[in-house]
Amino acid sequence: AIHELNSSLEQQVAQRTQEIQHIAALQKVILDNAGYAIIACDTAGLVTLFNPAAESLLGYAANELIGQHTPLLFHDPAELALRAEALSAALGCAVAPGMEVLTIKSLRGMANEQEWTLLHRDGRRVPVLLSVTALRDQAGQVIGFLGMAADLSERRAAEAQLRESHRFLDTLAASIPGMMAYWDSGLRCRFANQAYRQWFGRSAGEMAGVAMRELLGDELFAANAADIAAALQGEGRSFERDIVMPDGTLHHALLHYIPDLDDGKVRGFVTLVADVTQLKQTQLVMQQLNATLQARTAEAEEASRAKSDFLANMSHEIRTPMNAVLGMLQLLRHSGVNQRQADYADKASGAARTLLRIIDDILDFSRVEAGKLSLDPQPFSLAQVLDDVAVVLAASVGDKPVD
C-alpha cells in the first residue's frame, strides 16, 4: 500500500511538474513576444522580471537589472518629485518621491495607470503609458508589483505632427485676406477663420457648432437656400449678395461654396467670402465718371459739328460774293483797259483767290480736328506764290521801308 501510495505521489508530482513547466514555457513565450514592456519587482523594489520589449524600450539587458536595481533607475527624479507632491495632496498623506510614488495606489486597490517619462540608457526620454498592479499570493499578501508600459513615442510624434498641421492650417486660414468657414452636411459650423468671425461679430466659441440659419438669419438663409442645396449635392456655386452687418451697414460680398467630397459623398462644404464693398463703390464711381465723360464727349462732338456747320456756312457766304468779284474782275480785264489797269485787275484777282485759299485752309483745320484731313500734293510755282503774297501785303506795307 505504501509503495502504491509513493508511486501515486510520484506520478502526481511528475504531472504537476509537467504542468508547471508547460505554464512556465507558455508564460515565457508570452513575455518574450509581448508588445508591451513588462517589468516585475519584489516588495523591496528589486527587479525580478524584465522582458525583451522592456530591453528594447530602455536599452538595458535583463541580467543587468534583475536582483540588482529598482525601476527608479530609469525614472526621472524630477517627475517623481512632482508626482509625489500631487499624490500627497490627493491622498491626504505624505508620499515619498521613490517606489512609493509608483506603488501606493496599487497597494490601496486604486487604479494605477498614467503617463510617465522613462529614461533610456542613452539618455533619451521615452514617453510611456504605465500600468502598475500589486501581485498577491493566495492569502492576499503583496509579494511584488507588475508594471506594463506602452511606448507612446509614435503617438506623441503623430500628435505633434497633427498639432503642427492644425497650427499651419490655422495660420494659413488666419492670413487669408478673405473669409473662410466650413459647414458640415448638417449645416453646422466646424471651422471659421478670424476674418469670418469678425464679419459676423462672433467669437470662436460662439461660432463652434452654430447652425447656418441661426448665423445668417431667415431672410439671408432663404436667399442662399438654392446655392446651399446645390453645394450639398456636390455642385460648386459662386454668387454675389448684399449683406446687412450687425452694426447696420450694408456690405457687398462675393461668395463661393466648395463641396467637400469624400469618395463621392458630400461631407460638407467650404465657404469663401470676399468683401467687395470697396470694389463695388469704386465700380459705381467709375460708372458715374464714364457717364459724365460720355456726356462731355457728346457735348464736344455737338460743338465740333456746330463749328463745322458754321465754317461751312461762312465758307459758302464768303465764296458766293468772292466768286462774283472774280467774275467782275475777269470782265474788267477783257473790257479794253490799258496795261496799268489790267495789272491792277490781275492783282485784285490774285488777292481774291488767295482769300479763297485761306477759306479752304480754315476748312482744312476743321478737318484736322475731325481727323478727316487728307493731303493732295499738287505742282506749284514758287515765284507765283511769292507774287501773290506780295500783292496781298502791298496795301499793308504802304510807305514803310520794307523791300
Side-chain angles (χ1 to χ4, degrees):
I2 295 175
H3 177 73
E4 291 179 357
L5 181 59
N6 287 336
S7 177
S8 175
L9 288 174
E10 287 177 357
Q11 289 179 358
Q12 291 179 8
V13 169
Q15 183 179 359
R16 183 60 176 168
T17 301
Q18 187 178 4
E19 291 176 354
I20 292 174
Q21 290 175 346
H22 178 73
I23 293 173
L26 181 61
Q27 288 177 339
K28 185 176 186 307
V29 171
I30 293 174
L31 290 173
D32 289 347
N33 293 278
Y36 296 96
I38 300 176
I39 305 168
C41 61
D42 59 22
T43 54
L46 291 176
V47 174
T48 58
L49 174 67
F50 201 78
N51 77 333
E55 292 179 330
S56 176
L57 180 68
L58 298 172
Y60 293 98
N63 57 17
E64 294 179 290
L65 300 181
I66 293 177
Q68 303 176 58
H69 295 281
T70 71
L72 299 180
L73 175 66
F74 39 80
H75 272 274
D76 182 1
E79 187 176 46
L80 286 170
L82 289 175
R83 296 290 176 86
E85 183 178 350
L87 282 172
S88 298
L91 300 178
C93 63
V95 178
M99 285 297 297
E100 190 178 12
V101 176
L102 302 173
T103 62
I104 188 170
K105 293 177 73 174
S106 300
L107 288 172
R108 295 191 177 192
M110 303 168 63
N112 191 4
E113 182 179 80
Q114 55 188 326
E115 294 185 9
W116 288 87
T117 302
L118 302 184
L119 303 178
H120 191 276
R121 185 170 192 165
D122 63 10
R124 287 186 290 114
R125 301 174 67 83
V126 183
V128 299
L129 179 63
L130 177 62
S131 174
V132 179
T133 304
L135 300 175
R136 300 177 185 272
D137 59 16
Q138 293 182 348
Q141 297 298 314
V142 175
I143 58 175
F145 300 93
L146 179 69
M148 300 181 64
D151 188 357
L152 300 180
S153 299
E154 292 185 2
R155 192 176 82 178
R156 290 286 180 83
E159 290 173 351
Q161 185 176 6
L162 183 61
R163 285 194 300 270
E164 175 59 23
S165 296
H166 284 170
R167 185 204 63 79
F168 173 76
L169 291 176
D170 289 343
T171 301
L172 181 63
S175 62
I176 293 176
M179 289 155 279
M180 176 189 295
Y182 180 85
W183 301 91
D184 64 19
S185 57
L187 296 182
R188 294 211 170 256
C189 183
R190 298 306 174 194
F191 170 81
N193 70 347
Q194 183 176 359
Y196 197 93
R197 298 195 301 268
Q198 289 178 345
W199 174 277
F200 286 100
R202 300 285 187 108
S203 66
E206 292 171 334
M207 285 296 298
V210 68
M212 179 178 277
R213 181 185 293 273
E214 177 186 345
L215 183 69
L216 300 184
D218 291 337
E219 183 178 352
L220 184 56
F221 183 83
N224 294 354
D227 298 296
I228 294 170
L232 291 176
Q233 292 298 318
E235 180 183 350
R237 307 288 280 187
S238 297
F239 54 95
E240 292 187 17
R241 282 287 181 270
D242 292 339
I243 300 177
V244 179
M245 303 305 295
D247 61 3
T249 59
L250 178 65
H251 282 245
H252 304 280
L254 176 62
L255 294 90
H256 302 277
Y257 287 169
I258 305 171
D260 174 21
L261 297 173
D262 182 12
D263 195 21
K265 181 179 180 181
V266 179
R267 296 192 174 277
F269 60 91
V270 176
T271 299
L272 296 178
V273 185
D275 186 355
V276 294
T277 303
Q278 292 184 349
L279 181 62
K280 279 289 187 179
Q281 292 173 347
T282 302
Q283 185 178 8
L284 291 174
V285 172
M286 291 299 297
Q287 290 175 350
Q288 293 174 353
L289 291 175
N290 286 336
T292 302
L293 180 60
Q294 290 175 356
R296 296 290 176 82
T297 301
E299 292 175 359
E301 290 175 350
E302 181 63 26
S304 178
R305 284 194 296 271
K307 182 178 68 174
S308 297
D309 293 343
F310 172 77
L311 290 174
N313 291 333
M314 288 301 296
S315 171
H316 176 73
E317 296 297 331
I318 294 175
R319 281 176 182 275
T320 299
M322 189 57 65
N323 285 331
V325 171
L326 287 173
M328 296 301 295
L329 289 173
Q330 186 68 17
L331 292 175
L332 178 63
R333 181 70 176 77
H334 294 88
S335 63
V337 296
N338 58 35
Q339 183 64 33
R340 185 172 183 176
Q341 290 172 334
D343 181 58
Y344 287 159
D346 289 341
K347 290 180 178 180
S349 178
R353 294 182 185 282
T354 299
L355 181 58
L356 287 177
R357 284 196 294 273
I358 291 174
I359 294 173
D360 289 337
D361 290 340
I362 292 174
L363 291 176
D364 286 340
F365 281 123
S366 176
R367 293 191 185 97
V368 169
E369 291 179 351
K372 298 180 180 179
L373 178 66
S374 60
L375 298 178
D376 183 20
Q378 295 290 337
F380 69 96
S381 170
L382 181 59
Q384 184 63 44
V385 171
L386 294 176
D387 286 344
D388 291 342
V389 172
V391 169
V392 173
L393 299 179
S396 300
V397 172
D399 297 332
K400 297 178 181 178
V402 178
D403 293 333

